[in-house]
Amino acid sequence: MSLPERREMRFPFPELFEWAEHPMFGFRPFGQIIRVEDYIKEGRYVLRAELPGLDPDKDVEVTMGDGVLHIRAEKTRKVDEPHRSEFAYGSLSRSVTLPATADTDDVKATYKGGVLEVSVGLAEGKKAEGRRIAVEN
């Protein structure tokens, strides 16, 4: 098992955005963040996300585009007891940049025991190296 190599981010300071969205600091204007772990195993990129108590058919949406995997979820909980009722709701989201060699046509997602697991195949071979482009006058 190894850690994935990420595509380069377009933001000048990507760590700053991750730091600002950290749950400890409470700045998350677009919903709560989903806790994830990711790794490479047997030639596949694997992302596991904590989503306990959700119905994957109704509450979870997984999309992919431009080399980024997006996970969105809606949680609702309502408790009705005599003389008391309580509800909790909210949206969760997380976007993860896929490795440069990710094969977006080979994607599998499963949900078991409150954990969403998304697996993406990795293209074989070495990733293309950058090259210098001549600038003409």
Side-chain angles (χ1 to χ4, degrees):
M1 178 169 45
S2 63
L3 296 176
E5 181 179 327
R6 301 266 187 243
R7 294 178 193 247
E8 290 194 26
M9 298 293 290
R10 294 184 180 152
F11 301 115
F13 303 102
E15 295 84 15
L16 180 62
F17 289 107
E18 290 177 13
W19 178 77
E21 292 181 341
H22 193 277
M24 185 174 91
F25 298 104
F27 179 72
R28 181 77 180 156
F30 304 113
Q32 300 172 9
I33 196 164
I34 299 171
R35 294 169 37 136
V36 299
E37 68 176 350
D38 63 346
Y39 52 88
I40 294 176
K41 183 177 179 181
E42 299 173 3
R44 297 186 69 81
Y45 170 76
V46 179
L47 179 115
R48 294 172 35 95
E50 281 186 357
L51 296 171
L54 298 179
D55 181 351
D57 294 328
K58 294 188 286 185
D59 302 330
V60 179
E61 177 183 65
V62 179
T63 59
M64 188 179 316
D66 295 328
V68 179
L69 176 69
H70 303 280
I71 301 171
R72 292 177 190 85
E74 289 287 329
K75 68 176 182 177
T76 56
R77 192 190 84 193
K78 186 172 182 178
V79 176
D80 284 323
E81 296 176 356
H83 309 291
R84 180 176 92 85
S85 68
E86 182 178 334
F87 64 91
Y89 60 92
S91 63
L92 303 122
S93 65
R94 187 72 184 255
S95 296
V96 178
T97 304
L98 294 170
T101 59
D103 181 2
T104 57
D105 294 326
D106 183 11
V107 181
K108 298 174 186 168
T110 58
Y111 182 85
K112 184 176 181 182
V115 176
L116 172 71
E117 183 173 298
V118 181
S119 170
V120 181
L122 298 175
E124 297 203 14
K126 192 175 179 182
K127 90 174 185 185
E129 295 291 328
R131 63 183 179 99
R132 185 178 177 102
I133 308 298
V135 178
E136 298 178 18
N137 289 348

